[in-house]
Amino acid sequence: MSKKLYVGNIPFTTTDADLRSMFEPHGTITSVKVITDRETGRSRGFAFVEMDDATAAANAIRALDGS
């Protein structure tokens, strides 16, 4: 069962690829989406990462919390 994670308080320069590379060591990534402002195209400082396995998602949360 997949698990969608909210990733907040990220730098405005963070890209989908940056987040994918951070989360991939912890499990299979289904999707990554940095949320952008529709008018300016600039990052809004948060994203969603969907992982294939809930256990891998929990491990990623523990490992990356606060980083």
Side-chain angles (χ1 to χ4, degrees):
M1 183 162 109
S2 68
K3 179 85 170 180
K4 187 175 267 191
L5 305 174
Y6 167 81
V7 183
N9 201 27
I10 58 174
F12 294 120
T13 57
T14 303
T15 65
D16 291 352
D18 294 336
L19 283 177
R20 184 175 291 277
S21 67
M22 283 181 70
F23 279 83
E24 275 183 334
H26 304 287
T28 305
I29 307 297
T30 305
S31 66
V32 177
K33 180 66 178 157
V34 173
I35 306 304
T36 57
D37 184 273
R38 68 182 128 174
E39 291 182 18
T40 64
R42 182 178 165 196
S43 169
R44 295 194 54 204
F46 67 95
F48 293 97
V49 175
E50 189 172 357
M51 299 187 75
D52 246 2
D53 181 39
T55 304
N59 291 338
I61 290 169
R62 271 193 300 285
L64 298 172
D65 186 30
S67 60

